[in-house]
Amino acid sequence: MTELPALSGQVALVTGASRGIGYGVAEALVARGDRVCITGRNEDALKEAVDKLGADRVIGVAGKAHDLDHQAAAVERTMEAFGRVDHLVNNAGTNPVFGPIADLDLDVARKVFETNVVSALGFAQRTWHAWQKDNGGTIVNIASVAGLSASPFIGAYGVSKAAMINLTVQLAHEFAPKVRVNAIAPAVVKTKFAQALYEGREAEAAAAYPLARLGVPSDIGGTTAFLTSEQSAWITGQTLVVDGGIFLNAGVG
Ligand SMILES: NC(=O)c1ccc[n+]([C@@H]2O[C@H](COP(=O)([O-])OP(=O)(O)OC[C@H]3O[C@@H](n4cnc5c(N)ncnc54)[C@H](OP(=O)(O)O)[C@@H]3O)[C@@H](O)[C@H]2O)c1
């Protein structure tokens, strides 16, 4: 394992971080010296991630993002272990259905909102009360480009990510000036979640991107490190599109 830098004194809670984007975010924050609490449902996968990231600086709290007891436990354990929670990254998300929303089962729609939007609000409320309202900090919500336009096959997911983008605006307004709240809207990032979108045809999928490749978790890790640092001290309520330039294609030809 590469040697870690001196501790930054900052602490982050990253939801859904045993793999994929959340793991990439945790890796970027650990690499700058933060101590980090990561969450995920599968306990073994979470433990493996903690060990890989460095068990002296990272803890894991297993549970489902929408479960209120889990939210409480994750924030409490972070405070117990590290004494503060400066940064919250709401990354855990779900997309259990494909197809038009005209006939979407409304219970499924509720589940999508529960995990992608209500959970993010729950974690934000808890970190606010536990630490941020008195001491400041940042929140980064991992939204999606699907929240910025129509999404032919993943409509309910897109609607939930649009809600997350406005949740970002609302929280940024309510939590200012103590806490800055921003979102990141990625296009396709190579993870298990997005695998079906490019598996077996990555070159073809990447060709649509002006930057000629799909995203990788460290792309979002780097952007999150920026939004949780002093480098972005005058930015709040914004959604940063991190998409290899794919949005540049909109309206062309
Ligand atoms: N990949 C993309 O192209 C892309 C693009 C735009 C936005 N996003 C967003 O980025 C976020 C992460 O996606 P990803 O691609 O990194 O997915 P991923 O590779 O499937 O990883 C998801 C992570 O979250 C955990 N997780 C999943 N559901 C959870 C839940 N209900 N409660 C707690 N933890 C949960 C998973 O562990 P367990 O399974 O053990 O719980 C895993 O650690 C999501 O919000 C997604 O909407 C992804």
Side-chain angles (χ1 to χ4, degrees):
M1 200 170 124
T2 49
E3 205 173 312
L4 290 171
L7 288 175
S8 64
Q10 302 279 295
V11 172
L13 168 56
V14 186
T15 68
S18 58
R19 62 170 187 267
I21 289 174
Y23 184 87
V25 167
E27 209 171 26
L29 301 185
V30 168
R32 73 173 184 196
D34 289 11
R35 288 169 296 165
V36 180
C37 173
I38 62 173
T39 76
R41 291 165 303 180
N42 182 300
E43 223 159 312
D44 293 340
L46 196 62
K47 189 178 176 320
E48 217 174 288
V50 167
D51 289 342
K52 250 172 42 188
L53 289 163
D56 53 336
R57 295 185 179 197
V58 179
I59 61 166
V61 179
K64 295 177 182 164
H66 73 273
D67 178 335
L68 299 184
D69 291 339
H70 166 65
Q71 293 171 12
V75 175
E76 274 162 28
R77 289 276 311 284
T78 308
M79 290 296 294
E80 274 164 25
F82 303 133
R84 54 197 296 152
V85 54
D86 305 281
H87 311 296
L88 166 68
V89 182
N90 277 312
N91 169 73
T94 191
N95 178 34
V97 277
F98 287 88
I101 58 173
D103 298 313
L104 177 67
D105 179 338
L106 295 183
D107 284 335
V108 174
R110 279 189 198 95
K111 181 180 158 45
V112 172
F113 264 72
E114 185 74 23
T115 300
N116 295 358
V117 186
V118 184
S119 305
L121 173 58
F123 272 104
Q125 289 175 337
R126 285 173 195 280
T127 50
W128 169 253
H129 287 294
W131 178 262
Q132 294 185 330
K133 77 173 189 300
D134 296 322
N135 303 286
T138 72
I139 298 175
V140 175
N141 293 323
I142 306 299
S144 168
V145 290
L148 296 169
S149 64
S151 314
F153 303 108
I154 49 173
Y157 172 78
V159 174
S160 76
K161 292 297 189 179
M164 197 186 209
I165 288 167
N166 198 255
L167 175 67
T168 302
V169 171
Q170 185 62 31
L171 289 176
H173 196 264
E174 288 191 24
F175 288 2
K178 278 280 183 191
V179 176
R180 296 185 298 105
V181 188
N182 292 291
I184 298 174
V188 173
V189 177
K190 290 200 286 176
T191 67
K192 185 175 174 197
F193 177 83
Q195 216 165 6
L197 300 174
Y198 62 84
E199 204 171 24
R201 52 176 291 276
E202 187 178 334
E204 189 192 333
Y209 286 73
L211 294 184
R213 67 170 175 85
L214 301 179
V216 289
S218 60
D219 291 319
I220 311 305
T223 310
T224 304
F226 167 67
L227 288 174
T228 56
S229 77
E230 281 302 304
Q231 306 297 315
S232 60
W234 211 40
I235 302 177
T236 197
Q238 299 303 305
T239 294
L240 194 45
V241 175
V242 180
D243 72 339
I246 192 110
F247 253 51
L248 301 176
N249 297 339
V252 174

mmCIF file of all heavy atoms in Angstrom, residues 222-248:
data_model
loop_
_atom_site.group_PDB
_atom_site.id
_atom_site.type_symbol
_atom_site.label_atom_id
_atom_site.label_comp_id
_atom_site.label_asym_id
_atom_site.label_seq_id
_atom_site.Cartn_x
_atom_site.Cartn_y
_atom_site.Cartn_z
ATOM 1 N N GLY A 222 -12.083 13.085 -7.852
ATOM 2 C CA GLY A 222 -11.346 14.353 -7.948
ATOM 3 C C GLY A 222 -12.279 15.553 -7.847
ATOM 4 O O GLY A 222 -11.969 16.545 -7.177
ATOM 5 N N THR A 223 -13.427 15.459 -8.502
ATOM 6 C CA THR A 223 -14.381 16.575 -8.456
ATOM 7 C C THR A 223 -14.932 16.743 -7.042
ATOM 8 O O THR A 223 -15.116 17.870 -6.563
ATOM 9 C CB THR A 223 -15.541 16.310 -9.444
ATOM 10 O OG1 THR A 223 -14.990 15.970 -10.710
ATOM 11 C CG2 THR A 223 -16.416 17.536 -9.593
ATOM 12 N N THR A 224 -15.169 15.619 -6.380
ATOM 13 C CA THR A 224 -15.674 15.702 -4.995
ATOM 14 C C THR A 224 -14.616 16.300 -4.075
ATOM 15 O O THR A 224 -14.930 17.114 -3.192
ATOM 16 C CB THR A 224 -16.087 14.302 -4.493
ATOM 17 O OG1 THR A 224 -17.039 13.757 -5.401
ATOM 18 C CG2 THR A 224 -16.694 14.384 -3.101
ATOM 19 N N ALA A 225 -13.358 15.916 -4.298
ATOM 20 C CA ALA A 225 -12.276 16.491 -3.479
ATOM 21 C C ALA A 225 -12.265 18.014 -3.649
ATOM 22 O O ALA A 225 -12.127 18.762 -2.681
ATOM 23 C CB ALA A 225 -10.936 15.880 -3.875
ATOM 24 N N PHE A 226 -12.456 18.476 -4.882
ATOM 25 C CA PHE A 226 -12.515 19.928 -5.144
ATOM 26 C C PHE A 226 -13.698 20.584 -4.408
ATOM 27 O O PHE A 226 -13.543 21.584 -3.708
ATOM 28 C CB PHE A 226 -12.628 20.147 -6.657
ATOM 29 C CG PHE A 226 -13.001 21.554 -7.055
ATOM 30 C CD1 PHE A 226 -12.140 22.618 -6.832
ATOM 31 C CD2 PHE A 226 -14.231 21.819 -7.660
ATOM 32 C CE1 PHE A 226 -12.492 23.917 -7.202
ATOM 33 C CE2 PHE A 226 -14.587 23.107 -8.028
ATOM 34 C CZ PHE A 226 -13.720 24.164 -7.795
ATOM 35 N N LEU A 227 -14.870 19.977 -4.537
ATOM 36 C CA LEU A 227 -16.075 20.601 -3.954
ATOM 37 C C LEU A 227 -16.095 20.541 -2.427
ATOM 38 O O LEU A 227 -16.896 21.214 -1.788
ATOM 39 C CB LEU A 227 -17.337 19.945 -4.530
ATOM 40 C CG LEU A 227 -17.639 20.292 -5.998
ATOM 41 C CD1 LEU A 227 -18.826 19.477 -6.509
ATOM 42 C CD2 LEU A 227 -17.916 21.800 -6.166
ATOM 43 N N THR A 228 -15.242 19.700 -1.848
ATOM 44 C CA THR A 228 -15.163 19.618 -0.387
ATOM 45 C C THR A 228 -13.893 20.310 0.123
ATOM 46 O O THR A 228 -13.485 20.075 1.258
ATOM 47 C CB THR A 228 -15.171 18.142 0.090
ATOM 48 O OG1 THR A 228 -14.090 17.446 -0.560
ATOM 49 C CG2 THR A 228 -16.473 17.447 -0.241
ATOM 50 N N SER A 229 -13.288 21.140 -0.714
ATOM 51 C CA SER A 229 -12.037 21.809 -0.310
ATOM 52 C C SER A 229 -12.211 23.321 -0.338
ATOM 53 O O SER A 229 -13.199 23.843 -0.874
ATOM 54 C CB SER A 229 -10.908 21.430 -1.274
ATOM 55 O OG SER A 229 -11.060 22.155 -2.488
ATOM 56 N N GLU A 230 -11.225 24.012 0.183
ATOM 57 C CA GLU A 230 -11.228 25.478 0.182
ATOM 58 C C GLU A 230 -11.121 26.045 -1.237
ATOM 59 O O GLU A 230 -11.438 27.201 -1.478
ATOM 60 C CB GLU A 230 -10.068 25.997 1.038
ATOM 61 C CG GLU A 230 -10.360 25.936 2.525
ATOM 62 C CD GLU A 230 -11.614 26.724 2.907
ATOM 63 O OE1 GLU A 230 -11.689 27.919 2.607
ATOM 64 O OE2 GLU A 230 -12.541 26.117 3.488
ATOM 65 N N GLN A 231 -10.664 25.223 -2.169
ATOM 66 C CA GLN A 231 -10.566 25.669 -3.572
ATOM 67 C C GLN A 231 -11.929 26.061 -4.132
ATOM 68 O O GLN A 231 -12.015 26.805 -5.109
ATOM 69 C CB GLN A 231 -9.994 24.553 -4.465
ATOM 70 C CG GLN A 231 -8.668 23.977 -4.020
ATOM 71 C CD GLN A 231 -7.563 25.000 -4.042
ATOM 72 O OE1 GLN A 231 -7.438 25.743 -5.000
ATOM 73 N NE2 GLN A 231 -6.791 25.065 -2.974
ATOM 74 N N SER A 232 -12.992 25.528 -3.528
ATOM 75 C CA SER A 232 -14.345 25.827 -4.030
ATOM 76 C C SER A 232 -15.127 26.658 -3.007
ATOM 77 O O SER A 232 -16.361 26.616 -2.977
ATOM 78 C CB SER A 232 -15.091 24.529 -4.333
ATOM 79 O OG SER A 232 -15.195 23.741 -3.163
ATOM 80 N N ALA A 233 -14.395 27.438 -2.192
ATOM 81 C CA ALA A 233 -15.002 28.121 -1.039
ATOM 82 C C ALA A 233 -16.151 29.074 -1.385
ATOM 83 O O ALA A 233 -16.956 29.404 -0.511
ATOM 84 C CB ALA A 233 -13.923 28.882 -0.278
ATOM 85 N N TRP A 234 -16.241 29.510 -2.648
ATOM 86 C CA TRP A 234 -17.318 30.461 -2.992
ATOM 87 C C TRP A 234 -18.336 29.815 -3.924
ATOM 88 O O TRP A 234 -19.022 30.495 -4.674
ATOM 89 C CB TRP A 234 -16.716 31.749 -3.596
ATOM 90 C CG TRP A 234 -17.530 32.966 -3.286
ATOM 91 C CD1 TRP A 234 -18.155 33.261 -2.111
ATOM 92 C CD2 TRP A 234 -17.831 34.050 -4.176
ATOM 93 N NE1 TRP A 234 -18.817 34.459 -2.195
ATOM 94 C CE2 TRP A 234 -18.628 34.971 -3.453
ATOM 95 C CE3 TRP A 234 -17.489 34.337 -5.496
ATOM 96 C CZ2 TRP A 234 -19.102 36.146 -4.013
ATOM 97 C CZ3 TRP A 234 -17.961 35.533 -6.047
ATOM 98 C CH2 TRP A 234 -18.757 36.426 -5.315
ATOM 99 N N ILE A 235 -18.409 28.508 -3.906
ATOM 100 C CA ILE A 235 -19.351 27.781 -4.762
ATOM 101 C C ILE A 235 -20.363 27.059 -3.879
ATOM 102 O O ILE A 235 -19.980 26.238 -3.038
ATOM 103 C CB ILE A 235 -18.631 26.725 -5.640
ATOM 104 C CG1 ILE A 235 -17.558 27.377 -6.514
ATOM 105 C CG2 ILE A 235 -19.643 25.965 -6.503
ATOM 106 C CD1 ILE A 235 -16.752 26.384 -7.351
ATOM 107 N N THR A 236 -21.638 27.362 -4.052
ATOM 108 C CA THR A 236 -22.666 26.584 -3.360
ATOM 109 C C THR A 236 -23.949 26.545 -4.180
ATOM 110 O O THR A 236 -24.234 27.463 -4.952
ATOM 111 C CB THR A 236 -22.915 27.112 -1.923
ATOM 112 O OG1 THR A 236 -23.615 26.104 -1.185
ATOM 113 C CG2 THR A 236 -23.712 28.414 -1.898
ATOM 114 N N GLY A 237 -24.682 25.464 -4.035
ATOM 115 C CA GLY A 237 -25.973 25.307 -4.728
ATOM 116 C C GLY A 237 -25.829 24.913 -6.194
ATOM 117 O O GLY A 237 -26.816 24.891 -6.933
ATOM 118 N N GLN A 238 -24.612 24.570 -6.608
ATOM 119 C CA GLN A 238 -24.367 24.284 -8.030
ATOM 120 C C GLN A 238 -24.347 22.790 -8.323
ATOM 121 O O GLN A 238 -24.033 21.978 -7.459
ATOM 122 C CB GLN A 238 -23.028 24.883 -8.458
ATOM 123 C CG GLN A 238 -22.973 26.388 -8.314
ATOM 124 C CD GLN A 238 -24.081 27.076 -9.095
ATOM 125 O OE1 GLN A 238 -24.227 26.866 -10.294
ATOM 126 N NE2 GLN A 238 -24.884 27.885 -8.412
ATOM 127 N N THR A 239 -24.659 22.475 -9.569
ATOM 128 C CA THR A 239 -24.502 21.103 -10.036
ATOM 129 C C THR A 239 -23.423 21.109 -11.103
ATOM 130 O O THR A 239 -23.564 21.771 -12.135
ATOM 131 C CB THR A 239 -25.826 20.566 -10.616
ATOM 132 O OG1 THR A 239 -26.761 20.478 -9.544
ATOM 133 C CG2 THR A 239 -25.640 19.183 -11.222
ATOM 134 N N LEU A 240 -22.355 20.415 -10.821
ATOM 135 C CA LEU A 240 -21.234 20.366 -11.762
ATOM 136 C C LEU A 240 -21.408 19.140 -12.659
ATOM 137 O O LEU A 240 -21.441 18.004 -12.171
ATOM 138 C CB LEU A 240 -19.937 20.287 -10.953
ATOM 139 C CG LEU A 240 -18.622 20.553 -11.639
ATOM 140 C CD1 LEU A 240 -18.680 21.772 -12.539
ATOM 141 C CD2 LEU A 240 -17.547 20.769 -10.573
ATOM 142 N N VAL A 241 -21.548 19.393 -13.953
ATOM 143 C CA VAL A 241 -21.703 18.293 -14.908
ATOM 144 C C VAL A 241 -20.318 17.734 -15.213
ATOM 145 O O VAL A 241 -19.425 18.462 -15.642
ATOM 146 C CB VAL A 241 -22.393 18.795 -16.198
ATOM 147 C CG1 VAL A 241 -22.442 17.692 -17.243
ATOM 148 C CG2 VAL A 241 -23.800 19.299 -15.877
ATOM 149 N N VAL A 242 -20.157 16.444 -14.959
ATOM 150 C CA VAL A 242 -18.856 15.786 -15.185
ATOM 151 C C VAL A 242 -19.135 14.652 -16.160
ATOM 152 O O VAL A 242 -19.564 13.563 -15.776
ATOM 153 C CB VAL A 242 -18.275 15.279 -13.847
ATOM 154 C CG1 VAL A 242 -16.933 14.596 -14.060
ATOM 155 C CG2 VAL A 242 -18.115 16.438 -12.863
ATOM 156 N N ASP A 243 -18.933 14.926 -17.439
ATOM 157 C CA ASP A 243 -19.552 14.061 -18.447
ATOM 158 C C ASP A 243 -18.711 13.825 -19.698
ATOM 159 O O ASP A 243 -19.253 13.405 -20.728
ATOM 160 C CB ASP A 243 -20.901 14.664 -18.862
ATOM 161 C CG ASP A 243 -20.726 15.920 -19.707
ATOM 162 O OD1 ASP A 243 -19.642 16.542 -19.646
ATOM 163 O OD2 ASP A 243 -21.660 16.274 -20.437
ATOM 164 N N GLY A 244 -17.409 14.097 -19.628
ATOM 165 C CA GLY A 244 -16.572 13.882 -20.807
ATOM 166 C C GLY A 244 -17.030 14.698 -22.007
ATOM 167 O O GLY A 244 -16.688 14.397 -23.149
ATOM 168 N N GLY A 245 -17.849 15.722 -21.738
ATOM 169 C CA GLY A 245 -18.304 16.609 -22.808
ATOM 170 C C GLY A 245 -19.533 16.126 -23.551
ATOM 171 O O GLY A 245 -19.951 16.748 -24.542
ATOM 172 N N ILE A 246 -20.181 15.065 -23.073
ATOM 173 C CA ILE A 246 -21.296 14.493 -23.862
ATOM 174 C C ILE A 246 -22.445 15.488 -24.045
ATOM 175 O O ILE A 246 -23.123 15.469 -25.073
ATOM 176 C CB ILE A 246 -21.807 13.163 -23.255
ATOM 177 C CG1 ILE A 246 -22.736 12.432 -24.222
ATOM 178 C CG2 ILE A 246 -22.524 13.350 -21.948
ATOM 179 C CD1 ILE A 246 -22.164 11.192 -24.795
ATOM 180 N N PHE A 247 -22.604 16.398 -23.076
ATOM 181 C CA PHE A 247 -23.677 17.385 -23.211
ATOM 182 C C PHE A 247 -23.411 18.375 -24.343
ATOM 183 O O PHE A 247 -24.328 19.047 -24.812
ATOM 184 C CB PHE A 247 -23.890 18.133 -21.882
ATOM 185 C CG PHE A 247 -25.151 17.724 -21.176
ATOM 186 C CD1 PHE A 247 -25.435 16.379 -20.954
ATOM 187 C CD2 PHE A 247 -26.070 18.676 -20.734
ATOM 188 C CE1 PHE A 247 -26.596 15.981 -20.310
ATOM 189 C CE2 PHE A 247 -27.237 18.287 -20.101
ATOM 190 C CZ PHE A 247 -27.500 16.943 -19.883
ATOM 191 N N LEU A 248 -22.153 18.459 -24.765
ATOM 192 C CA LEU A 248 -21.829 19.368 -25.872
ATOM 193 C C LEU A 248 -22.531 18.927 -27.151
ATOM 194 O O LEU A 248 -22.725 19.718 -28.073
ATOM 195 C CB LEU A 248 -20.310 19.397 -26.119
ATOM 196 C CG LEU A 248 -19.452 19.848 -24.935
ATOM 197 C CD1 LEU A 248 -17.977 19.737 -25.285
ATOM 198 C CD2 LEU A 248 -19.797 21.273 -24.540
#
